[in-house]
Amino acid sequence: AQSVTQLDSHVSVSEGTPVLLRCNYSSSYSPSLFWYVQHPNKGLQLLLKYTSAATLVKGINGFEAEFKKSETSFHLTKPSAHMSDAAEYFCVVSEERYGGATNKLIFGTGTLLAVQP
Amino acid sequence: GAVVSQHPSRVICKSGTSVKIECRSLDFQATTMFWYRQFPKQSLMLMATSNEGSKATYEQGVEKDKFLINHASLTLSTLTVTSAHPEDSSFYICSARVSAGSLSPLHFGNGTRLTVT
């Protein structure tokens, strides 16, 4: 069965410094992986997704993530944090069964990113 | 872009009463919508898949008689929490896909914070 683990529940960085949000997954098949962001009082928004194409995926707002099969990781990074990046980030894997991906998303427990001025 | 509207954003109700939450796709038709629940400090969990014109598919452990889902049109799905109890207090969020296919992006509503007193 698929699962996803976000290693840090809270991450705090200074504005202008790099961001690293860690995610490890477990999957029997080739996974589809996503990062979603949830700003306070707003809905979830897709940042980026990996679907077996290029292993380095670029998303919105300068974020990117690299799929590393050998490490079963899909860490989210950004070179320089901005105050507006403060939010909760979810790593997500699409459940897969025989025949391909399903509609069921399996969410990590989330990482709350704080950006200090 | 695709917008999913969820209403109400917050609701407080007394124990034993029922609460209806609406999820609308504003500028696209959604044959399938999804309902999630998020407990404090935990991840989002898929509750059920709502299919237009047919019965919803519930995840294991979710009481279908307690969480009634109706998807009467291509733009509206409703979740009714019947005979609510304090343990039903949670954050409920809906989502929908613009097009068919499990890898097309999900668009989320802003969520509903339910508090049962």
Side-chain angles (χ1 to χ4, degrees), chain A residues 32 34 36 38 41-46 49 51 88 90 94 97 101-110, chain B residues 10 32 34 36 38 41-44 46 49 59 91 93 97 101-111:
Chain A
S32 298
F34 310 79
Y36 280 86
Q38 185 173 21
N41 301 315
K42 292 192 176 180
L44 286 158
Q45 180 185 22
L46 179 66
K49 64 179 180 181
T51 55
E88 189 163 21
F90 292 92
S94 180
R97 298 174 187 164
T102 71
N103 280 316
K104 183 174 180 178
L105 295 183
I106 301 168
F107 284 75
T109 50
Chain B
R10 292 179 181 273
T32 304
F34 307 90
Y36 292 82
Q38 184 180 27
K41 301 185 187 298
Q42 295 187 32
S43 183
L44 283 87
L46 179 65
T49 302
E59 294 299 306
F91 185 69
I93 194 166
R97 295 188 194 279
S102 59
L103 298 182
S104 64
L106 275 174
H107 297 273
F108 287 80
N110 285 356

Side-chain angles (χ1 to χ4, degrees), chain A residues 66-87:
Chain A
E66 186 172 7
F67 173 72
K68 291 186 176 180
K69 187 174 182 179
S70 61
E71 298 177 9
T72 61
S73 69
F74 191 57
H75 301 335
L76 181 70
T77 61
K78 183 174 180 177
S80 176
H82 192 272
M83 295 296 289
S84 60
D85 294 329

Side-chain angles (χ1 to χ4, degrees), chain A residues 19 21 47-48 57-65 76-79 85 89 113:
Chain A
V19 175
L21 304 183
L47 271 181
L48 49 81
V57 182
K58 293 188 183 298
I60 62 172
N61 301 333
F63 284 94
E64 61 182 38
L76 181 70
T77 61
K78 183 174 180 177
D85 294 329
Y89 293 80
L113 175 65

Side-chain angles (χ1 to χ4, degrees), chain B residues 58 63-70 78-82:
Chain B
Y58 290 82
E63 299 176 61
K64 61 180 181 181
D65 294 329
K66 181 167 186 62
F67 299 99
L68 299 179
I69 291 173
N70 184 280
T78 61
L79 168 68
T80 301
V81 182
T82 62

